[in-house]
Amino acid sequence: MTGSLIIAGLGPGDDRLVTPEVVSALAEATDVVGYIPYVARVAPRAGLTLHPSDNRVELDRARAALAMAADGRRVVVVSSGDPGVFAMASAVFEALEGREDWQALDIRVLPGITAMLAAAAAVGAPLGHDFCCINLSDNLKPWEMIETRLRLAARADLAMAFYNPRSASRPEGFARTLEVLREECGSDRLVTFARAVSTPDERIATITLGEATPEMADMRTVVIVGNSATRRVGRWVYSPRRAG
Ligand code: SAH
Protein backbone atom coordinates (compact mmCIF):
# COMPACT_ATOMS: atom_id res chain seq x y z
CA MET A 1 0.00 0.00 0.00
CA THR A 2 1.26 3.51 -0.85
CA GLY A 3 1.17 5.82 2.10
CA SER A 4 0.06 9.42 2.05
CA LEU A 5 -0.02 12.39 4.35
CA ILE A 6 -2.78 14.97 4.20
CA ILE A 7 -2.73 18.06 6.39
CA ALA A 8 -6.36 19.13 6.67
CA GLY A 9 -8.20 22.10 8.15
CA LEU A 10 -11.39 21.32 10.08
CA GLY A 11 -12.73 24.89 9.99
CA PRO A 12 -13.76 26.93 13.03
CA GLY A 13 -16.10 24.38 14.63
CA ASP A 14 -19.39 23.79 12.82
CA ASP A 15 -19.40 20.53 10.83
CA ARG A 16 -21.05 22.33 7.92
CA LEU A 17 -17.89 24.44 7.59
CA VAL A 18 -15.68 21.40 6.92
CA THR A 19 -15.02 21.25 3.16
CA PRO A 20 -16.23 18.19 1.20
CA GLU A 21 -12.59 17.57 0.23
CA VAL A 22 -11.61 17.23 3.90
CA VAL A 23 -14.65 15.01 4.60
CA SER A 24 -13.48 12.64 1.83
CA ALA A 25 -9.90 12.59 3.09
CA LEU A 26 -11.11 11.69 6.60
CA ALA A 27 -13.37 8.96 5.17
CA GLU A 28 -10.36 7.36 3.45
CA ALA A 29 -7.85 7.79 6.30
CA THR A 30 -6.36 4.93 8.28
CA ASP A 31 -4.90 7.28 10.90
CA VAL A 32 -5.80 10.74 12.20
CA VAL A 33 -3.18 12.71 14.08
CA GLY A 34 -3.55 16.02 15.92
CA TYR A 35 -4.09 18.06 19.06
CA ILE A 36 -6.59 16.36 21.41
CA PRO A 37 -9.64 18.66 20.89
CA TYR A 38 -9.25 18.59 17.10
CA VAL A 39 -8.96 14.79 16.88
CA ALA A 40 -12.08 14.66 19.10
CA ARG A 41 -14.00 16.25 16.22
CA VAL A 42 -13.36 13.21 14.01
CA ALA A 43 -15.96 10.43 14.37
CA PRO A 44 -14.42 7.05 15.27
CA ARG A 45 -15.06 4.17 12.86
CA ALA A 46 -13.74 0.69 12.08
CA GLY A 47 -10.36 0.82 10.34
CA LEU A 48 -9.48 4.28 11.67
CA THR A 49 -6.93 4.82 14.43
CA LEU A 50 -7.05 8.16 16.24
CA HIS A 51 -3.78 9.59 17.60
CA PRO A 52 -4.63 12.57 19.84
CA SER A 53 -1.62 14.38 21.32
CA ASP A 54 -0.71 17.45 23.31
CA ASN A 55 -0.26 20.73 21.45
CA ARG A 56 3.27 21.47 22.68
CA VAL A 57 4.90 18.75 20.59
CA GLU A 58 4.02 19.87 17.07
CA LEU A 59 7.29 18.83 15.46
CA ASP A 60 7.25 15.39 17.13
CA ARG A 61 3.66 14.96 16.03
CA ALA A 62 4.61 15.87 12.45
CA ARG A 63 7.48 13.35 12.48
CA ALA A 64 5.26 10.61 13.88
CA ALA A 65 2.69 11.29 11.15
CA LEU A 66 5.36 11.21 8.42
CA ALA A 67 6.79 7.95 9.77
CA MET A 68 3.33 6.35 9.60
CA ALA A 69 2.83 7.60 6.02
CA ALA A 70 6.26 6.17 5.11
CA ASP A 71 4.98 2.89 6.54
CA GLY A 72 2.20 2.84 3.95
CA ARG A 73 -0.64 4.32 5.98
CA ARG A 74 -3.11 7.01 4.84
CA VAL A 75 -2.54 9.63 7.49
CA VAL A 76 -4.52 12.83 8.00
CA VAL A 77 -3.06 15.47 10.30
CA VAL A 78 -5.87 17.74 11.48
CA SER A 79 -5.75 21.41 12.49
CA SER A 80 -8.61 23.72 13.38
CA GLY A 81 -9.44 26.40 10.85
CA ASP A 82 -6.88 26.34 8.05
CA PRO A 83 -3.79 24.13 8.52
CA GLY A 84 -1.51 26.81 7.07
CA VAL A 85 -2.53 29.51 9.57
CA PHE A 86 -0.49 29.16 12.78
CA ALA A 87 -0.98 25.40 12.58
CA MET A 88 0.37 22.00 11.55
CA ALA A 89 1.24 22.49 7.87
CA SER A 90 4.43 24.43 8.64
CA ALA A 91 5.42 21.87 11.27
CA VAL A 92 5.15 19.07 8.70
CA PHE A 93 7.30 20.95 6.18
CA GLU A 94 9.85 21.73 8.87
CA ALA A 95 10.01 18.01 9.66
CA LEU A 96 10.73 17.36 5.96
CA GLU A 97 13.94 19.41 6.04
CA GLY A 98 16.89 17.13 5.40
CA ARG A 99 14.64 14.06 4.95
CA GLU A 100 14.64 13.20 1.24
CA ASP A 101 12.92 9.89 1.96
CA TRP A 102 9.94 11.73 3.46
CA GLN A 103 10.02 14.42 0.74
CA ALA A 104 9.17 11.67 -1.81
CA LEU A 105 5.87 10.89 -0.04
CA ASP A 106 2.44 11.88 -1.36
CA ILE A 107 1.82 14.97 0.80
CA ARG A 108 -1.06 17.42 0.37
CA VAL A 109 -2.44 20.39 2.29
CA LEU A 110 -6.24 20.82 2.25
CA PRO A 111 -7.42 24.34 3.13
CA GLY A 112 -10.06 25.15 5.72
CA ILE A 113 -12.02 28.18 6.85
CA THR A 114 -9.74 30.06 9.19
CA ALA A 115 -11.10 31.70 12.37
CA MET A 116 -10.75 35.30 11.19
CA LEU A 117 -12.82 34.66 8.07
CA ALA A 118 -15.62 32.96 10.01
CA ALA A 119 -15.52 35.81 12.56
CA ALA A 120 -15.50 38.52 9.89
CA ALA A 121 -18.44 36.91 8.10
CA ALA A 122 -20.40 36.72 11.37
CA VAL A 123 -20.25 40.51 11.84
CA GLY A 124 -20.24 41.74 8.24
CA ALA A 125 -17.04 42.57 6.36
CA PRO A 126 -14.43 44.16 8.65
CA LEU A 127 -11.65 42.61 6.51
CA GLY A 128 -13.10 43.97 3.27
CA HIS A 129 -10.08 46.18 2.61
CA ASP A 130 -6.34 45.46 3.18
CA PHE A 131 -5.61 43.65 6.40
CA CYS A 132 -2.98 41.62 8.21
CA CYS A 133 -3.03 38.74 10.60
CA ILE A 134 -0.79 38.50 13.67
CA ASN A 135 -0.30 35.70 16.17
CA LEU A 136 -0.05 37.40 19.58
CA SER A 137 1.52 34.39 21.27
CA ASP A 138 5.13 35.03 22.20
CA ASN A 139 5.96 31.32 22.49
CA LEU A 140 7.82 31.26 19.18
CA LYS A 141 8.94 34.91 18.75
CA PRO A 142 10.00 37.75 21.04
CA TRP A 143 7.41 40.21 22.34
CA GLU A 144 9.41 43.13 20.82
CA MET A 145 8.75 41.74 17.34
CA ILE A 146 5.02 41.55 18.05
CA GLU A 147 4.94 45.14 19.28
CA THR A 148 6.88 46.43 16.26
CA ARG A 149 4.51 44.64 13.89
CA LEU A 150 1.47 46.00 15.73
CA ARG A 151 2.72 49.57 15.47
CA LEU A 152 3.70 49.29 11.80
CA ALA A 153 0.40 47.62 10.87
CA ALA A 154 -1.54 50.35 12.68
CA ARG A 155 0.50 53.08 10.95
CA ALA A 156 -0.13 51.42 7.57
CA ASP A 157 -3.85 51.66 8.43
CA LEU A 158 -4.36 47.93 7.97
CA ALA A 159 -7.26 46.16 9.64
CA MET A 160 -5.79 43.46 11.90
CA ALA A 161 -6.84 40.00 12.98
CA PHE A 162 -5.21 38.62 16.12
CA TYR A 163 -4.89 34.91 16.87
CA ASN A 164 -3.92 33.49 20.28
CA PRO A 165 -4.64 36.87 21.88
CA ARG A 166 -3.91 35.85 25.46
CA SER A 167 -1.18 33.27 25.75
CA ALA A 168 -1.01 31.34 28.99
CA SER A 169 2.71 32.10 29.34
CA ARG A 170 2.19 35.88 29.05
CA PRO A 171 -1.33 37.01 30.04
CA GLU A 172 -0.18 40.65 30.23
CA GLY A 173 0.63 40.66 26.49
CA PHE A 174 -2.91 41.42 25.42
CA ALA A 175 -3.25 44.29 27.90
CA ARG A 176 -0.11 45.74 26.34
CA THR A 177 -1.54 45.12 22.84
CA LEU A 178 -4.62 47.17 23.69
CA GLU A 179 -2.44 50.01 25.05
CA VAL A 180 -0.30 50.08 21.91
CA LEU A 181 -3.39 50.05 19.69
CA ARG A 182 -5.06 52.88 21.63
CA GLU A 183 -1.88 54.90 21.25
CA GLU A 184 -1.66 54.25 17.50
CA CYS A 185 -5.34 54.15 16.49
CA GLY A 186 -7.21 56.19 19.12
CA SER A 187 -9.98 54.96 21.37
CA ASP A 188 -12.86 55.20 18.86
CA ARG A 189 -11.50 52.45 16.59
CA LEU A 190 -13.88 49.48 16.25
CA VAL A 191 -12.78 46.11 17.59
CA THR A 192 -14.61 42.79 17.35
CA PHE A 193 -14.11 40.03 19.91
CA ALA A 194 -15.28 36.75 18.39
CA ARG A 195 -15.14 33.75 20.71
CA ALA A 196 -15.71 30.12 19.68
CA VAL A 197 -17.19 31.18 16.35
CA SER A 198 -19.60 28.64 14.82
CA THR A 199 -19.78 26.53 18.00
CA PRO A 200 -22.53 26.42 20.67
CA ASP A 201 -20.29 28.65 22.86
CA GLU A 202 -20.09 31.43 20.25
CA ARG A 203 -20.03 34.97 21.65
CA ILE A 204 -19.36 37.96 19.41
CA ALA A 205 -19.29 41.65 20.27
CA THR A 206 -18.06 44.77 18.49
CA ILE A 207 -17.07 47.71 20.69
CA THR A 208 -14.48 50.51 20.60
CA LEU A 209 -10.84 50.25 21.65
CA GLY A 210 -11.68 52.65 24.49
CA GLU A 211 -14.21 50.13 25.84
CA ALA A 212 -12.04 47.03 25.33
CA THR A 213 -10.52 45.25 28.34
CA PRO A 214 -7.96 42.41 28.33
CA GLU A 215 -10.40 39.90 29.91
CA MET A 216 -12.61 40.09 26.82
CA ALA A 217 -10.20 37.77 24.99
CA ASP A 218 -9.08 34.24 25.74
CA MET A 219 -7.48 31.44 23.75
CA ARG A 220 -10.76 30.68 21.96
CA THR A 221 -11.12 34.28 20.76
CA VAL A 222 -10.03 35.91 17.53
CA VAL A 223 -9.89 39.70 17.71
CA ILE A 224 -10.43 41.93 14.68
CA VAL A 225 -9.43 45.60 14.80
CA GLY A 226 -10.78 47.74 11.99
CA ASN A 227 -8.89 50.31 9.93
CA SER A 228 -9.63 54.03 10.23
CA ALA A 229 -12.60 53.72 7.84
CA THR A 230 -14.21 50.64 9.41
CA ARG A 231 -17.73 51.56 10.44
CA ARG A 232 -21.10 50.24 11.49
CA VAL A 233 -24.13 50.03 9.23
CA GLY A 234 -27.30 48.72 10.86
CA ARG A 235 -26.23 45.79 13.01
CA TRP A 236 -23.15 45.07 10.89
CA VAL A 237 -19.52 46.21 10.74
CA TYR A 238 -17.64 46.70 7.49
CA SER A 239 -14.54 48.21 5.94
CA PRO A 240 -15.29 50.07 2.71
CA ARG A 241 -13.54 48.82 -0.43
CA ARG A 242 -12.34 52.33 -1.23
CA ALA A 243 -9.64 53.95 0.91
CA GLY A 244 -8.03 57.39 0.94
N1 SAH B 1 -5.36 27.15 12.30
C1 SAH B 1 -6.32 27.89 13.09
C2 SAH B 1 -5.64 28.83 14.09
C3 SAH B 1 -4.86 28.09 15.16
S1 SAH B 1 -4.20 29.18 16.36
C4 SAH B 1 -7.24 28.69 12.15
O1 SAH B 1 -6.93 28.77 10.95
O2 SAH B 1 -8.27 29.20 12.60
C5 SAH B 1 -5.50 29.13 17.59
C6 SAH B 1 -6.24 30.45 17.63
O3 SAH B 1 -7.18 30.50 16.57
C7 SAH B 1 -7.08 30.69 18.88
O4 SAH B 1 -6.31 31.18 19.96
C8 SAH B 1 -8.06 31.72 18.39
O5 SAH B 1 -7.44 33.00 18.32
C9 SAH B 1 -8.30 31.27 16.96
N2 SAH B 1 -9.50 30.42 16.80
C10 SAH B 1 -9.53 29.14 16.38
N3 SAH B 1 -10.82 28.70 16.28
C11 SAH B 1 -11.60 29.73 16.64
C12 SAH B 1 -13.02 29.93 16.72
N4 SAH B 1 -13.89 28.94 16.42
N5 SAH B 1 -13.48 31.14 17.13
C13 SAH B 1 -12.62 32.15 17.43
N6 SAH B 1 -11.27 32.02 17.35
C14 SAH B 1 -10.77 30.83 16.97
Side-chain angles (χ1 to χ4, degrees):
M1 185 166 78
T2 316
S4 60
L5 183 78
I6 286 174
I7 311 131
L10 296 178
D14 189 327
D15 282 347
R16 292 170 305 173
L17 299 182
V18 183
T19 68
E21 181 182 47
V22 170
V23 171
S24 304
L26 289 169
E28 285 160 20
T30 57
D31 296 85
V32 170
V33 174
Y35 181 38
I36 298 158
Y38 308 152
V39 173
R41 286 172 53 189
V42 178
R45 59 169 166 79
L48 175 67
T49 309
L50 301 176
H51 305 266
S53 64
D54 192 274
N55 208 15
R56 282 164 290 194
V57 289
E58 286 187 346
L59 202 54
D60 291 348
R61 183 193 296 144
R63 290 196 186 102
L66 284 158
M68 280 193 276
D71 234 21
R73 307 192 62 85
R74 286 189 302 277
V75 184
V76 177
V77 175
V78 288
S79 282
S80 75
D82 181 272
V85 179
F86 312 131
M88 281 305 293
S90 290
V92 169
F93 293 114
E94 191 176 337
L96 287 182
E97 301 246 10
R99 289 294 306 252
E100 274 160 35
D101 51 341
W102 284 349
Q103 288 170 24
L105 289 167
D106 174 12
I107 297 175
R108 274 176 303 146
V109 183
L110 307 186
I113 297 176
T114 188
M116 68 176 174
L117 298 185
V123 298
L127 303 178
H129 194 71
D130 297 342
F131 67 93
C132 68
C133 175
I134 299 178
N135 185 347
L136 290 182
S137 165
D138 62 355
N139 283 346
L140 301 171
K141 63 188 167 193
W143 172 257
E144 294 65 40
M145 178 182 283
I146 297 175
E147 187 162 330
T148 303
R149 288 181 177 171
L150 280 175
R151 287 192 190 279
L152 294 177
R155 287 175 200 170
D157 202 17
L158 295 169
M160 297 167 237
F162 300 127
Y163 286 70
N164 296 307
R166 284 178 90 201
S167 78
S169 62
R170 193 185 164 110
E172 69 275 23
F174 190 61
R176 181 76 193 125
T177 298
L178 290 177
E179 280 169 24
V180 170
L181 290 171
R182 276 192 282 260
E183 253 175 71
E184 299 287 345
C185 309
S187 47
D188 293 336
R189 185 64 60 90
L190 292 178
V191 51
T192 298
F193 289 86
R195 181 173 192 276
V197 177
S198 89
T199 80
D201 303 328
E202 176 177 287
R203 213 175 56 217
I204 305 182
T206 300
I207 55 173
T208 64
L209 271 179
E211 294 163 333
T213 62
E215 306 71 47
M216 290 175 179
D218 64 7
M219 288 305 272
R220 294 185 73 191
T221 308
V222 67
V223 180
I224 297 178
V225 175
N227 66 20
S228 59
T230 303
R231 63 191 76 176
R232 295 181 190 271
V233 59
R235 57 184 188 279
W236 297 282
V237 183
Y238 83 106
S239 301
R241 305 270 329 265
R242 188 184 300 276

